[in-house]
């Protein structure tokens, strides 16, 4: 299975500041035939199911605020929140869908400093 | 609009089985795969398997082979996940989630999730 490793495990950022979460895969999730990275980001708030934020590593899901952005390729990816809002407090997960045994990172808990 | 509506919480004894349902109104049920993902208390997300709602293929994570069965009822647009030989480590919230690509494309992200079903295993 492809192992997804996120860093840090937790993060405290001041309101209005930038938050950056990293995700590393144990093998490349870039499919050369279509040049797409099979990597998604989800946000999960307490007591709620995960919510899709980003797919194909950098495509924002409809309705997701543009302060959320995804970048990276191959094995190294980043989720950036450009200006943290109070409602962004959540756990964030990356997921690879390159292989048919889909795997998630362990999660990064984002809090307000 | 797309919804995934799951059955209610369950309490089971060790060794028993549980069957969780996921009803999918609001879109063409047979066009998209459905996945099952679980989350133990305070833990991360764990993929369990995928089913073609047309009643065809299904693939289970190796960890659950022999204990999990996923089925589908196209007449009610519902998929089911049954987990047997329950142990305390199976206490978790179980989610169904839709794969966003049209069948037969399996390698897609999950665009809609059910509300989750808490399964508690306790003697």
């Amino acid at each position: 299975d492809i192992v997804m490793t996120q860093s840090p495990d937790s993060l405290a950022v001041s309101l209005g500041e930038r938050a950056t979460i990293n995700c590393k895969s144990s093998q490349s999730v870039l499919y050369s035939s279509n040049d797409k990275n099979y990597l998604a980001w989800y946000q999960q708030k307490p007591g709620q199911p995960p919510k899709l934020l980003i797919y194909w590593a950098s495509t924002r899901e409809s309705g997701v605020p543009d302060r959320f952005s995804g970048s990276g390729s191959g094995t190294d990816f980043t989720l950036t929140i450009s200006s943290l809002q109070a409602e962004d407090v959540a756990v964030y997960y990356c997921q690879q869908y390159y292989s048919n045994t889909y795997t998630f990172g362990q999660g990064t808990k984002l809090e307000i400093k | 609009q797309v919804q995934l509506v799951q059955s209610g919480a369950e309490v089971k004894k060790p060794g028993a089985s549980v069957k969780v349902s996921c009803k999918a109104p609001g879109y063409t049920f047979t066009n998209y795969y459905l996945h099952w993902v679980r989350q133990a208390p305070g833990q991360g997300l764990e993929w369990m398997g995928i089913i073609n709602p047309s009643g065809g293929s299904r693939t289970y994570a190796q960890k659950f082979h022999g204990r999990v069965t996923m089925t589908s009822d196209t007449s009610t647009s519902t998929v089911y996940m049954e987990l047997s030989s329950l142990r305390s480590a199976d206490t978790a919230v179980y989610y169904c989630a839709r794969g966003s690509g049209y069948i037969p494309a399996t390698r897609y992200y999950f665009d809609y999730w059910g509300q989750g079903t808490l399964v508690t295993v306790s003697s």
Side-chain angles (χ1 to χ4, degrees):
Chain A
D1 291 359
I2 298 176
V3 177
M4 308 299 289
T5 304
Q6 292 181 225
S7 61
D9 289 334
S10 63
L11 180 62
V13 174
S14 301
L15 289 172
E17 296 300 304
R18 178 185 301 260
T20 301
I21 299 169
N22 300 301
C23 175
K24 189 174 184 66
S25 57
S26 61
Q27 64 186 76
S28 176
V29 298
L30 173 63
Y31 192 40
S32 56
S33 68
N34 60 11
D35 201 31
K36 286 186 172 184
N37 287 282
Y38 285 56
L39 189 284
W41 289 96
Y42 300 87
Q43 175 193 65
Q44 187 178 33
K45 297 181 178 180
Q48 296 184 19
K51 172 190 173 184
L52 176 67
L53 294 177
I54 303 281
Y55 54 93
W56 303 126
S58 61
T59 302
R60 201 179 305 115
E61 172 71 333
S62 175
V64 172
D66 61 7
R67 64 180 180 273
F68 290 91
S69 63
S71 62
S73 185
T75 61
D76 292 279
F77 301 91
T78 300
L79 174 69
T80 301
I81 307 172
S82 60
S83 176
L84 189 71
Q85 305 299 303
E87 61 264 33
D88 301 335
V89 169
V91 179
Y92 293 83
Y93 294 93
C94 61
Q95 178 211 22
Q96 66 79 20
Y97 46 99
Y98 180 90
S99 89
N100 282 332
T101 52
Y102 311 74
T103 46
F104 295 86
Q106 79 277 17
T108 295
K109 186 175 185 179
L110 177 59
E111 299 173 313
I112 305 293
K113 186 187 290 183
Chain B
Q1 81 262 26
V2 176
Q3 287 185 84
L4 298 176
V5 182
Q6 298 184 222
S7 50
E10 303 261 13
V11 179
K12 295 292 182 181
K13 293 195 182 303
S17 297
V18 69
K19 192 170 186 177
V20 180
S21 68
C22 170
K23 187 172 176 64
Y27 70 95
T28 303
F29 179 65
T30 52
N31 279 0
Y32 298 87
Y33 290 102
L34 281 161
H35 300 259
W36 288 92
V37 176
R38 77 176 186 180
Q39 185 171 38
Q43 302 300 307
L45 301 167
E46 181 176 34
W47 180 77
M48 299 180 68
I50 179 176
I51 182 169
N52 179 338
S54 294
S57 63
R58 63 214 68 180
T59 302
Y60 304 137
Q62 184 66 32
K63 176 176 179 176
F64 300 102
H65 261 284
R67 284 210 302 142
V68 70
T69 304
M70 295 177 188
T71 55
S72 171
D73 181 347
T74 55
S75 68
T76 60
S77 299
T78 303
V79 294
Y80 300 89
M81 186 282 301
E82 184 169 20
L83 190 62
S84 62
S85 302
L86 289 168
R87 39 226 190 210
S88 59
D90 294 317
T91 294
V93 175
Y94 289 77
Y95 294 103
C96 58
R98 193 182 82 162
S100 60
Y102 283 118
I103 290 173
T106 55
R107 298 190 300 161
Y108 270 81
Y109 47 91
F110 304 168
D111 56 358
Y112 291 93
W113 294 67
Q115 82 275 20
T117 298
L118 174 62
V119 175
T120 303
V121 183
S122 173
S123 54

